[in-house]
Amino acid sequence: MKADLYSLIIYLGNLALTMLLCRIYQKKPILQEKYKWLSLVIISLPLSLVAGLRENVGTDYLNYTGIIDSTRGLSYASIFRGETPNFIEIGFILVTKICSSLNPNSYFLPFFVYAFSTLFLSVAGIERFKQKVSLPLGVFLFYLIYYHVTLNIIRQGMSGAVLMFALKDLVDKNYIRYSIFVLIAFFFHRTAALCLIFMLIPLFSGKYTNEGSYIPGSRRIWGLIPFVILFMAASVPLYNSLFLYDVFANRADFSIEAHGITGSGLGILFFFCVNIYFI
């Protein structure tokens, strides 16, 4: 009971410190103009250190310590040949290998880097919307809802953080930059590839005509339905066809069905269609 109370105090104390740092950043224009990235690094540090120092916290903790141990014996050449344990994405394995090589006798550095990259990119993604979203409030809600989740589903958390940072590019219709970020996220978790479909949101959202009348997105949703049907039907062979190069050769038989991505993809598409109807 005391251990749980101490843990709660540590987490809440670091969360409070993070909120204070966000508030200072928001109130000091000079930090936003001259020291933006350094400030975001400092904001992301407190709970990243907590995640790095944790021991046996998180349902997947032992699975990831096993992955870290398995990478210690891997060569970089074997990683680039796609010889990674359990078909785990090459980007994640490469980061793990570098961290485990620099910190061979501890799990601190890998877990710290996992958490810091997730939190930093997420905080930076929220900051990109600072004109519309309060940074302290946005970061507080993110930590409140997702921080504990990223201690368990680490790869998905890292991939999702890249996509969260890329969200502003999607809103700004910078599709090339957004696609590059989706590709980067893909190398940390394959489900990121499904987020390419969100590039259709700006195309089917409501708009004003030259005459000044407004056309709500709900009236144009019918143009998206045939594409969604085709995408759902072609998603499995399309996904598996990505494994064309030697680096992915031994993953070709690791089908998207076995990884559970088909169900996730259909769920995302359903959510997408429901939301786009009301845009």
Side-chain angles (χ1 to χ4, degrees):
M1 186 66 179
K2 287 184 177 180
D4 292 338
L5 180 60
Y6 292 152
S7 297
L8 180 62
I9 292 173
I10 291 173
Y11 282 109
L12 290 181
N14 279 276
L15 178 59
L17 175 59
T18 300
M19 294 302 98
L20 177 61
L21 293 172
C22 287
R23 184 65 174 172
I24 294 173
Y25 176 82
Q26 189 176 51
K27 288 293 185 179
K28 301 290 184 181
I30 189 173
L31 295 178
Q32 301 175 35
E33 296 169 3
K34 294 186 177 181
Y35 305 104
K36 172 183 174 179
W37 297 111
L38 177 60
S39 298
L40 296 180
V41 166
I42 294 174
I43 289 172
S44 306
L45 276 177
L47 284 169
S48 297
L49 289 170
V50 171
L53 291 169
R54 66 190 167 115
E55 183 176 352
N56 204 23
V57 174
T59 55
D60 275 355
Y61 180 85
L62 295 179
N63 289 334
Y64 279 99
T65 56
I67 293 171
I68 294 169
D69 289 336
S70 66
T71 60
R72 300 188 197 278
L74 286 177
S75 66
Y76 288 101
S78 63
I79 292 175
F80 284 107
R81 287 197 301 268
E83 299 171 4
T84 59
N86 301 320
F87 300 102
I88 294 173
E89 292 79 5
I90 190 173
F92 181 81
I93 290 296
L94 188 58
V95 169
T96 302
K97 173 62 178 177
I98 294 172
C99 292
S100 61
S101 298
L102 295 174
N103 188 209
N105 299 317
S106 170
Y107 298 119
F108 167 75
L109 187 59
F111 281 115
F112 170 76
V113 171
Y114 299 155
F116 179 77
S117 58
T118 300
L119 300 182
F120 174 76
L121 288 172
S122 299
V123 170
I126 296 171
E127 197 275 343
R128 297 184 76 186
F129 290 94
K130 63 183 178 182
Q131 301 300 327
K132 296 184 178 181
V133 179
S134 165
L135 182 64
L137 178 60
V139 171
F140 176 74
L141 291 175
F142 171 79
Y143 277 18
L144 196 66
I145 299 171
Y146 293 110
Y147 175 73
H148 66 287
V149 177
T150 62
L151 298 180
N152 301 319
I153 50 173
I154 294 175
R155 287 155 47 222
Q156 293 93 324
M158 295 174 71
S159 179
V162 175
L163 296 170
M164 190 167 181
F165 183 79
L167 184 59
K168 186 66 165 61
D169 297 305
L170 177 63
V171 173
D172 293 341
K173 300 183 180 181
N174 191 338
Y175 298 126
I176 294 178
R177 184 181 167 97
Y178 176 75
S179 299
I180 291 173
F181 279 122
V182 170
L183 179 62
I184 294 173
F186 173 84
F187 285 105
F188 288 89
H189 202 272
R190 298 178 184 89
T191 52
L194 294 168
C195 292
L196 288 171
I197 194 173
F198 292 120
M199 288 192 292
L200 292 173
I201 290 178
L203 300 179
F204 287 88
S205 59
K207 70 174 184 178
Y208 285 94
T209 65
N210 294 332
E211 294 75 23
S213 59
Y214 181 74
I215 303 177
S218 58
R219 293 185 183 178
R220 297 187 290 144
I221 187 66
W222 302 110
L224 180 63
I225 291 178
F227 174 82
V228 171
I229 294 174
L230 290 174
F231 182 86
M232 292 168 66
S235 60
V236 173
L238 177 65
Y239 187 90
N240 286 327
S241 70
L242 293 173
F243 304 117
L244 300 176
Y245 302 100
D246 289 341
V247 68
F248 293 121
N250 66 350
R251 303 165 186 247
D253 294 330
F254 189 62
S255 70
I256 163 176
E257 298 97 330
H259 200 54
I261 295 177
T262 301
S264 302
L266 299 185
I268 290 174
L269 284 170
F270 175 77
F271 176 82
F272 170 71
C273 291
V274 170
N275 276 272
I276 204 171
Y277 181 85
F278 295 100
I279 294 175

